[in-house]
Amino acid sequence: MNATNNDLDSLERDLLARAEAAGDEASLETLRVEALGKQGSISALMRNLGQMSPDERKTYGAALNVLKDKVSEAILTKKAALAEAALERQLQAEAVDVTLPPIKPRIGAIHPVSQVMEELAAIFGEMGFAVEEGPDIETDFNNFTALNFPPNHPARETHDTFFLDAKGEDGARKVLRTHTSPVQVRTMLKQKPPIRMVCMGRTFRKDSDATHTPMFHQIEGLVIDETTSMADLKGVLIAAIKAFFEVDDVRLRFRPHHFPFTEPSAEVDVGCDRSGGQIKIGAGNDWLEILGSGMVHPNVLKNCGIDPDKYQGYAFGMGIDRLAMLKYGMPDLRAFFDADTRWLKHYGFSPYLLPGLAQGIG
Ligand code: DAH
């Protein structure tokens, strides 16, 4: 009996040591089969119980059961320890150092015109303006007639219009839009007041020198409501120009002007300094014309199905390319459209930094 117990003690030491030493799940499984499996060492001892006296069987059987429990527990404990160690290794291997600088994949640059459009959308969006769109090819009605340009009036010629062969429903030749103002018409025809919108896009005129290209970009603004005034127009433009140029002491000068679609009309100049051979917005005693604006002409409202006795509005239009040149110090407009990647690399913007009023405009 003693000899048998000694055998059990050494078997226990052996099995527990093997469990402790197991380096992976596979060796633990081998151990389990060799000790507890049907052909295993403990099971073999169990089978001997039959030949023992009832007393022997009782003590020896109990000892065997204790051994069995100890061994299976040792195997399970080791298994859990191995799993935990494996997880720890995996976490170590997959750890990311978030303090490393990001790798910037080279995916090109945002064109200054697109950048300025994003900036303007952020500024006017923040003020409650919706962004509308219209096509580059317009009807004569939307580009001129609805905007109160009289038929055959010389004002149509001042726009150096590109006329297409294709005709619209009115029988008049279609045009490459000469300004973004037709989007005012489109918006008023499809939407009831109150209206508060901006539109940005391509415009076309037969013109080409250092400050004019046959294709250029404009932003248009329109507000229609029951009570709107020149004072509202002024407030909105001052806030927008301050935000855009990121200067607080911007001065604006409203000069009387004529546009067929506004009455009264004003051209707006921004205060600048030209002393250093470069135009600087803000300080200084000079002026630079940057936009056209006014109160929407009652005829335009009528042409767009809006009652001018109930509603009034203001509108404004600005050259986007000019704004970009002024803000980012780019001297030649023609370079904007040369598709020269060296120019774009120099003047372009990171695709990762979207303009917004919170994080900064531009
Ligand atoms: N459409 C004008 C142009 O291209 C600019 C303009 C002036 C737009 C006055 C307006 C406005 O909306 O009210 O010369």
Side-chain angles (χ1 to χ4, degrees):
M1 184 67 210
N2 270 349
T4 324
N5 271 340
N6 279 343
D7 285 352
L8 280 193
D9 283 347
S10 78
L11 182 60
E12 177 179 322
R13 269 196 306 278
D14 175 46
L15 291 176
L16 294 186
R18 279 181 63 193
E20 184 50 44
D24 53 25
E25 264 201 51
S27 30
L28 277 179
E29 180 59 14
T30 311
L31 173 62
R32 191 191 63 77
V33 172
E34 283 177 16
L36 307 168
K38 266 197 192 139
Q39 310 298 325
S41 44
I42 297 181
S43 312
L45 294 175
M46 290 278 193
R47 279 196 291 279
N48 291 341
L49 287 176
Q51 287 129 44
M52 294 182 181
S53 69
D55 271 357
E56 271 181 331
R57 193 182 306 149
K58 206 169 161 193
T59 27
Y60 194 64
L64 269 181
N65 275 331
V66 170
L67 172 60
K68 204 172 142 185
D69 288 348
K70 274 189 185 167
V71 171
S72 30
E73 198 183 309
I75 289 176
L76 284 179
T77 309
K78 184 66 187 183
K79 207 169 172 176
L82 283 176
E84 198 173 317
L87 180 63
E88 189 56 35
R89 273 197 306 279
Q90 189 187 355
L91 287 176
Q92 292 280 347
E94 292 174 5
V96 175
D97 183 353
V98 292
T99 63
L100 285 175
I103 301 163
K104 280 196 191 157
R106 296 183 46 121
I107 58 169
I110 301 292
H111 194 285
V113 168
S114 306
Q115 171 75 15
V116 165
M117 285 185 177
E118 290 292 338
E119 294 174 10
L120 292 169
I123 291 168
F124 284 104
E126 193 85 3
M127 290 198 257
F129 285 73
V131 177
E132 297 287 344
E133 286 182 348
D136 293 354
I137 296 176
E138 264 298 2
T139 59
D140 183 271
F141 178 81
N142 286 346
N143 196 80
F144 291 123
T145 309
L147 291 165
N148 200 35
F149 285 77
N152 306 317
H153 191 275
R156 293 180 186 234
E157 274 140 47
T158 61
H159 274 202
D160 296 312
T161 314
F162 287 107
F163 286 95
L164 305 185
D165 286 340
K167 291 183 176 154
E169 278 169 23
D170 53 358
R173 289 167 73 186
K174 290 195 173 180
V175 301
L176 291 180
R177 67 177 177 194
T178 59
H179 49 176
T180 40
S181 305
V183 184
Q184 292 188 24
V185 177
R186 288 177 174 273
T187 309
M188 286 187 272
L189 286 174
K190 72 166 190 196
Q191 190 190 320
K192 286 196 166 46
I195 292 171
R196 208 174 172 81
M197 69 89 166
V198 287
C199 152
M200 289 166 278
R202 280 186 284 268
T203 47
F204 306 85
R205 290 183 199 181
K206 281 188 232 165
D207 217 348
S208 187
D209 59 37
T211 52
H212 297 89
T213 47
M215 189 280 296
F216 56 106
H217 299 85
Q218 285 191 339
I219 174 169
E220 190 79 17
L222 174 72
V223 172
I224 307 278
D225 210 334
E226 289 181 28
T227 55
T228 56
S229 66
M230 282 297 266
D232 298 332
L233 167 69
K234 215 170 159 178
V236 162
L237 289 177
I238 290 172
I241 295 297
K242 274 187 186 174
F244 179 74
F245 287 109
E246 295 177 296
V247 278
D248 278 336
D249 59 346
V250 170
R251 292 166 304 140
L252 290 188
R253 180 170 74 175
F254 287 68
R255 251 185 311 106
H257 196 74
H258 170 77
F259 298 105
F261 35 90
T262 42
E263 182 58 39
S265 305
E267 269 193 338
V268 178
D269 304 329
V270 62
C272 68
D273 175 48
R274 296 178 209 251
S275 57
Q278 227 193 4
I279 299 181
K280 220 173 131 237
I281 301 295
N285 299 318
D286 261 323
W287 296 100
L288 178 77
E289 184 233 311
I290 52 162
L291 64 93
S293 64
M295 298 303 293
V296 179
H297 197 294
N299 287 350
V300 175
L301 296 174
K302 264 186 251 165
N303 292 338
C304 298
I306 291 177
D307 179 1
D309 291 328
K310 182 162 184 209
Y311 293 104
Q312 54 195 309
Y314 62 82
F316 55 89
M318 258 185 287
I320 290 180
D321 317 270
R322 162 78 81 86
L323 288 178
M325 288 171 83
L326 284 171
K327 182 165 174 182
Y328 296 113
M330 295 173 289
D332 192 338
L333 177 62
R334 286 169 296 197
F336 276 49
F337 310 117
D338 281 345
D340 184 333
T341 52
R342 290 166 303 177
W343 183 88
L344 191 57
K345 214 169 157 193
H346 182 76
Y347 287 112
F349 292 83
S350 163
Y352 300 103
L353 301 172
L354 278 184
L357 286 189
Q359 67 268 39
I361 294 288

